Amino acid sequence: MNFKPRVSKLAEWLASEQLSAALLVDVEGRRDLNIRYLTGHPGDALLFVLSSGKTILVPWDINLAQTTAHATEILPYSDFGRSLIVAVEAIVNREKLSGAIEVTAATPYPVFEELNAAAGRSSVVCRRDGIDNILAGFRVTKDADELERIERAAEVTNELLVLLELYLKESG
């Protein structure tokens, strides 16, 4: 599956909004399927998408990420003491981010405040009509890869229905 067009589309939107990056967080109690949509990684990770198109995935399970995910860079969450705040501060500094970083509306306010403090020369923004709406809109329109997979799933379903019908006729 090719995730680059999805990431490029998001990076273009970030640049048009004068944002340096987006931060998506998938943790227990606060799932974000957009990480899978953008990288293929099934869950439990942080994802930084920079306006340049660079993606930095910080998964809980580095081995799983290395076999399933497509990102510019994959860094173990343990490198940051398994701390969202430490990871944000380190990546903001390493990438020399100075513009705003958008987080999803699911971000709890106390975490938002901590992120803002950790962002250094950047700031963190959280908008009701921001990245959540943009990504939801992207996901509604299926790309060629998704359409191909949906068609294959429908074919498998049809094959199973034929087999089920035959089985019921023979056993009934």
Side-chain angles (χ1 to χ4, degrees):
M1 185 139 201
N2 185 4
F3 297 94
K4 287 182 183 179
R6 296 172 182 181
V7 170
S8 294
K9 196 172 175 182
L10 178 57
E12 287 174 21
W13 178 80
L14 291 168
S16 75
E17 294 288 311
Q18 286 131 13
L19 297 165
S20 291
L23 169 61
L24 304 174
V25 179
D26 181 78
V27 294
E28 201 166 315
R30 196 163 42 112
R31 294 292 176 203
D32 192 334
L33 297 175
N34 291 309
I35 292 177
R36 179 176 281 200
Y37 174 76
L38 293 167
T39 69
H41 185 66
D44 290 320
L46 314 176
L47 177 64
F48 297 83
V49 180
L50 281 53
S51 60
S52 66
K54 180 177 184 177
T55 53
I56 303 168
L57 182 67
V58 182
W60 278 238
D61 186 337
I62 188 72
N63 296 320
L64 177 63
Q66 289 171 335
T67 60
T68 63
H70 300 270
T72 310
E73 195 171 0
I74 300 173
L75 305 172
Y77 194 50
S78 57
D79 283 1
F80 305 102
R82 297 196 172 274
S83 166
L84 168 64
I85 304 307
V86 171
V88 168
E89 186 173 25
I91 289 171
V92 164
N93 289 331
R94 191 185 80 169
E95 298 298 322
K96 298 177 177 53
L97 299 179
S98 58
I101 301 164
E102 180 140 0
V103 296
T104 66
T107 305
Y109 186 72
V111 173
F112 171 80
E113 286 186 321
E114 287 181 82
L115 290 171
N116 240 330
R121 61 186 171 274
S122 289
S123 61
V124 176
V125 296
C126 180
R127 302 179 291 174
R128 186 182 307 249
D129 62 346
I131 193 163
D132 299 284
N133 287 350
I134 292 302
L135 287 170
F138 289 177
R139 290 176 54 202
V140 165
T141 305
K142 302 302 177 204
D143 59 34
D145 283 341
E146 288 173 298
L147 291 174
E148 185 179 313
R149 289 170 189 263
I150 290 168
E151 287 172 4
R152 180 62 189 132
E155 289 170 10
V156 169
T157 301
N158 288 339
E159 291 168 13
L160 288 172
L161 288 173
V162 168
L163 291 172
L164 179 61
E165 181 182 12
L166 287 172
Y167 171 77
L168 292 174
K169 284 180 181 177
E170 288 174 3
S171 64

